[in-house]
Amino acid sequence: MDTNKATNRDLVIGIIGGLFVLYMAHNFDLFEYVVSYVTSHESWEADELFILSVYLTVALSVFSFRRWKEALEEIDKRKALEKDLIIAKNEADTANRTKGKFLADMSHELRTPLNSIIGFSEMLLDEAFGTLDKRQNRYVNNIHKSGNHLLNLINQLLDLSKIESGKVELHLEEFEIDILFEEINEVLDPLAKRKYIDLTYVSDPQIRVVNMDKIKMKQILFNLASNALKFTPEDGSVDIGVQKKGDLMQICITDSGPGIDEQGLKKIFEPFEQLGTNEGSEYKGTGLGLAIVRELVEMQKGHVWAESEPGKGTSFFLELPMNISIDG
């Protein structure tokens, strides 16, 4: 309705302006003056120049009015778009808060019975209530593995939700990088020996003490290194190297696993993307570990990426400042 009124008003103004120009041109012979000037280049009198300037002024005014109306319409469209964007942002923030609360509540409700399932299955596997035959042992072992897998998924969902909502803070401290890798090696070494994998670590004498979030760095490195062990076949190798790159520390974790194709590398750090290539793959995971790694690395002003070729293993690279400051 308002648009029709505006269109009718513009039409009336245009008609009035056009009639005024025609009236000026008819009574003062403006067109003849123009033709005369073009053909003979005669000198114009002051009143003739004044009339011509009035004619041009009116024409320019009509043109400017239309452009002004178009500009107003464009401004109105932009304001409406900004309003829609603000509404969409507020709705997204509300949905994100609701999601975070849901995950927090559900994780608590699910973890309690899951811990009971895992605990009792461990007692059965330890034969605390009597000896299990081969089939019973296999069933209980499946219950134990499935419970741990589900608990890990819930924990990682909660971690990712906290990170995305900005509820995770950095706790910086100075520590020796070699000691951090010794602590990680204590956990990973039994896993490597179980598959006869050669696990090596090469340090850089130029890097001794760093200022980072030690707990988050341990989570990052454990996730990447345990992934490397999981995807490396028996009698393979996993190499961890650290070197100084200017003011940055670069960590490289290389495995001799099956490798990842180009398409897989593009989406490997996205949530719920599995490294396994098919449903029957032995490499099962939650698909959240690498997404959490990326978020934790970026929180510490770092960068993470992967390089790989099918059949040639995979290398994960981390580059982070050795002395992180929260303000800087």
Side-chain angles (χ1 to χ4, degrees):
M1 191 69 180
D2 292 338
T3 305
N4 292 333
K5 287 183 179 179
T7 303
N8 293 334
R9 185 173 63 249
D10 292 347
L11 182 61
V12 171
I13 293 173
I15 292 172
I16 293 173
L19 292 174
F20 179 73
V21 171
L22 290 174
Y23 172 78
M24 296 288 292
H26 175 73
N27 287 279
F28 296 98
D29 298 325
L30 289 180
F31 295 114
E32 293 182 8
Y33 291 147
V34 173
V35 173
S36 174
Y37 177 76
V38 172
T39 56
S40 63
H41 299 284
E42 295 178 353
S43 300
W44 282 36
E45 299 296 333
D47 58 342
E48 296 170 341
L49 290 173
F50 173 74
I51 293 170
L52 181 60
S53 66
V54 170
Y55 174 80
L56 294 175
T57 300
V58 172
L60 288 173
S61 297
V62 173
F63 177 79
S64 299
F65 176 78
R66 295 187 64 182
R67 289 292 177 267
W68 174 70
K69 290 296 295 180
E70 290 174 0
L72 284 180
E73 290 175 0
E74 184 65 25
I75 291 171
D76 290 339
K77 289 179 182 178
R78 287 175 179 260
K79 286 182 177 179
L81 179 60
E82 290 175 1
K83 184 179 179 181
D84 291 341
L85 288 173
I86 291 172
I87 292 172
K89 180 182 180 299
N90 291 336
E91 290 177 349
D93 290 340
T94 301
N96 195 46
R97 286 192 298 269
T98 304
K99 180 191 73 174
K101 186 176 184 305
F102 170 78
L103 288 174
D105 293 342
M106 288 304 297
S107 64
H108 174 73
E109 295 298 326
L110 290 172
R111 272 193 263 193
T112 301
L114 269 176
N115 283 324
S116 296
I117 292 170
I118 294 169
F120 281 113
S121 63
E122 286 177 350
M123 294 175 68
L124 289 171
L125 288 172
D126 292 337
E127 299 184 340
F129 303 106
T131 305
L132 301 177
D133 60 33
K134 188 175 181 180
R135 187 176 63 175
Q136 289 172 333
N137 188 279
R138 186 173 71 252
Y139 290 164
V140 174
N141 191 52
N142 287 339
I143 293 171
H144 184 258
K145 284 183 177 179
S146 298
N148 276 314
H149 178 79
L150 186 54
L151 183 61
N152 188 36
L153 174 60
I154 292 169
N155 289 335
Q156 290 191 337
L157 270 172
L158 191 59
D159 287 344
L160 188 61
S161 176
K162 286 180 179 179
I163 293 170
E164 290 179 344
S165 63
K167 293 181 180 179
V168 177
E169 298 180 354
L170 290 177
H171 300 284
L172 303 177
E173 60 179 301
E174 289 189 349
F175 59 90
E176 293 186 21
I177 191 68
D178 289 343
I179 292 178
L180 174 63
F181 277 100
E182 287 175 7
E183 294 174 358
I184 294 172
N185 187 66
E186 288 178 1
V187 179
L188 295 178
D189 191 54
L191 301 176
K193 288 179 177 178
R194 194 179 304 164
K195 295 177 67 177
Y196 306 102
I197 293 174
D198 185 20
L199 178 62
T200 63
Y201 166 63
V202 179
S203 62
D204 188 332
Q206 297 183 81
I207 304 176
R208 186 170 174 271
V209 177
V210 296
N211 184 48
M212 297 179 173
D213 190 316
K214 185 177 180 180
I215 294 176
K216 291 180 178 58
M217 282 302 300
K218 185 181 292 187
Q219 184 177 354
I220 291 167
L221 295 171
F222 178 79
N223 201 315
L224 292 176
S226 60
N227 264 350
L229 290 173
K230 179 171 67 174
F231 284 89
T232 300
E234 290 187 1
D235 299 315
S237 64
V238 173
D239 302 313
I240 304 173
V242 181
Q243 61 177 324
K244 191 173 185 293
K245 293 273 189 177
D247 295 331
L248 301 176
M249 174 180 66
Q250 186 183 87
I251 301 173
C252 177
I253 300 175
T254 301
D255 64 58
S256 58
I260 307 167
D261 60 25
E262 187 176 351
Q263 291 300 317
L265 288 174
K266 291 179 180 179
K267 58 184 181 180
I268 194 172
F269 292 101
E270 297 301 320
F272 301 106
E273 288 295 338
Q274 298 283 339
L275 291 175
T277 55
N278 54 63
E279 292 294 329
S281 173
E282 62 179 305
Y283 309 118
K284 294 296 184 181
T286 63
L288 291 171
L290 292 178
I292 293 173
V293 164
R294 182 182 62 181
E295 296 288 346
L296 293 177
V297 169
E298 291 178 354
M299 277 184 66
Q300 300 185 82
K301 304 174 185 177
H303 177 53
V304 59
W305 72 96
E307 296 177 4
S308 181
E309 290 183 31
K312 295 185 178 180
T314 305
S315 295
F316 283 89
F317 294 88
L318 301 172
E319 277 190 354
L320 305 103
M322 290 182 289
N323 292 287
I324 300 172
S325 62
I326 295 178
D327 297 328

